[in-house]
Amino acid sequence: MKKREKISVIVPCYNEEASLPRFYRETKAVLQTIDSADYEMVFVDDGSTDQTLRILRQLAEEDSRCRYVSFSRNFGKEAGMYAGLSEASGDYCVIMDADLQHPPSLLVPMYQAVHEEGYDCCGGKRCGRDGDGAVRSLCSRLFYKIGKKLTHMDMSDGYGDFRMMNRAMTDAVLKMKEYNRYMKGIYSFVGFQTKWIEFENVERAQGESKWSFRSLLSYAGEGIFAFSAVPLKAAGIVGGLLLAAALVLLLLKLAAGIFRLPLADFSGIGILLIFLFLLSGLQMLFLYIIGIYLSKDCLENKKRPIYIVREKK
């Protein structure tokens, strides 16, 4: 008798006590409608400070298909996703948020795409940004446009972590063991055939978003610096342009002096100070960019663990 395939639902959690019970009920109800596959839920407690861990313990006691991993502190969602994928035993792995912004109802067409249609991955593409705010929505769209051009990878707006992957793609993602993780870039890097299913963005079922504007900005920078060397190359380009501008100004000054043109009045201490401030500012900016790359390389060379487990079941 052929062994039944299994779907592993990975759920990173950080202070999700308000939404976890409802997420569990609704997701379980959908999974039970997929007759041809068994399932498990792997919850990852990312150092929550509320009652999230208590709820996960209770779910694991009451339902043998529920397991959890609890970190020793907050390591971030990227580490939570990696831990969940590492613990998952399913033939298909799907990553979902506990706030129900990822509709459980999409699990059925996702499974059909990877099980019957031959895709390696089926992801949910979010349409619209209701509840995000105008400034946050604009910044998100700009980031994805710029990031796509800088990294030359498919990281379009709306492509998130909500996706179901077969075991081959899951194992490929797990081979990417870098400490500075940016999962959207990793998904694009490993490749594989992906089908996208659109869904309407909805507000959180309970609680508040853990992503502040500052954390989203930091996350955006993580994606660019992790998958693009363009910021480093920009230093050389700007340096060349400044050198060319300096040569042009020098030639103009010489020509003005030789031919006694009124252009001789364009120079002075003010112009000199402006250029000094400009050059100093650009130097500090590019030193900062170089420092980011060096710091990330330092963390990678230290080989620190991506996460530390305090408790699991």
Side-chain angles (χ1 to χ4, degrees):
M1 183 177 177
K2 186 178 179 182
K3 182 182 177 181
R4 293 185 71 192
E5 293 182 315
K6 182 192 288 186
I7 300 172
S8 293
V9 178
I10 293 101
V11 191
C13 305
Y14 179 65
N15 292 345
E16 298 289 357
E17 64 177 3
S19 58
L20 271 174
R22 180 180 169 186
F23 171 86
Y24 167 73
R25 291 194 304 269
E26 295 190 12
T27 304
K28 179 181 178 180
V30 173
L31 290 169
Q32 288 177 331
T33 66
I34 305 176
D35 297 328
S36 59
D38 199 356
Y39 69 89
E40 68 173 354
M41 296 188 196
V42 182
F43 297 90
V44 182
D45 170 38
D46 188 18
S48 298
T49 56
D50 62 357
Q51 297 299 311
T52 294
L53 181 56
R54 182 188 64 79
I55 294 173
L56 296 183
R57 287 173 180 153
Q58 183 178 351
L59 289 176
E61 287 292 332
E62 297 175 353
D63 190 341
S64 60
R65 288 187 173 92
C66 289
R67 297 189 288 124
Y68 69 87
V69 177
S70 181
F71 290 169
S72 60
R73 64 169 177 82
N74 179 251
F75 282 88
K77 184 181 178 182
E78 303 293 304
M81 289 188 286
Y82 183 81
L85 291 173
S86 300
E87 294 289 334
S89 60
D91 303 284
Y92 304 102
C93 295
V94 56
I95 297 174
M96 301 182 68
D97 288 346
D99 56 17
L100 288 171
Q101 286 189 308
H102 296 161
S105 59
L106 287 189
L107 292 174
V108 176
M110 282 182 170
Y111 177 69
Q112 182 179 1
V114 295
H115 177 67
E116 300 176 9
E117 299 176 18
Y119 288 96
D120 302 296
C121 173
C122 183
K125 182 180 180 181
R126 183 173 65 170
C127 298
R129 291 186 170 275
D130 295 340
D132 280 358
V135 176
R136 183 166 170 173
S137 297
L138 176 62
C139 291
S140 295
R141 292 190 180 95
L142 286 175
F143 161 70
Y144 284 112
K145 287 183 178 180
I146 295 171
K148 191 172 182 179
K149 290 184 179 296
L150 292 181
T151 62
H152 303 291
M153 291 187 181
D154 190 10
M155 294 188 290
S156 301
D157 188 18
Y159 291 4
D161 301 310
F162 182 32
R163 60 187 71 204
M164 184 179 291
M165 302 173 285
N166 62 16
R167 177 47 60 178
M169 182 172 176
T170 300
D171 290 341
V173 171
L174 289 173
K175 289 179 181 177
M176 308 285 287
K177 299 182 182 296
E178 58 256 44
Y179 182 82
N180 300 284
R181 304 187 66 78
Y182 183 72
M183 289 294 284
K184 293 181 179 65
I186 290 175
Y187 295 137
S188 179
F189 179 84
V190 299
F192 293 93
Q193 292 186 338
T194 301
K195 176 181 180 179
W196 294 100
I197 300 177
E198 294 186 349
F199 69 95
E200 291 297 325
N201 184 52
V202 296
E203 295 186 11
R204 290 174 57 92
Q206 301 286 338
E208 298 180 355
S209 174
K210 312 305 184 298
W211 291 90
S212 64
F213 183 80
R214 180 178 179 181
S215 61
L216 286 171
L217 189 64
S218 176
Y219 186 61
E222 186 73 43
I224 292 175
F225 290 123
F227 286 90
S228 176
V230 172
L232 285 174
K233 296 177 182 177
I237 295 173
V238 174
L241 291 174
L242 288 174
L243 178 60
L247 289 174
V248 169
L249 288 173
L250 178 60
L251 291 174
L252 286 174
K253 176 62 178 174
L254 291 174
I258 294 173
F259 298 105
R260 300 183 181 279
L261 298 175
L263 290 174
D265 297 331
F266 80 94
S267 64
I269 189 65
I271 298 296
L272 178 61
L273 287 175
I274 290 173
F275 271 95
L276 283 176
F277 288 141
L278 174 64
L279 292 173
S280 298
L282 286 171
Q283 284 178 332
M284 295 302 295
L285 173 63
F286 287 117
L287 281 174
Y288 171 73
I289 292 174
I290 293 170
I292 291 177
Y293 279 99
L294 288 175
S295 66
K296 292 184 180 298
D297 184 62
C298 178
L299 288 173
E300 296 294 343
N301 289 328
K302 287 181 177 181
K303 304 295 182 184
R304 289 176 176 171
I306 299 173
Y307 60 90
I308 298 173
V309 176
R310 176 176 175 266
E311 174 186 341
K312 73 176 182 178
K313 182 176 180 180

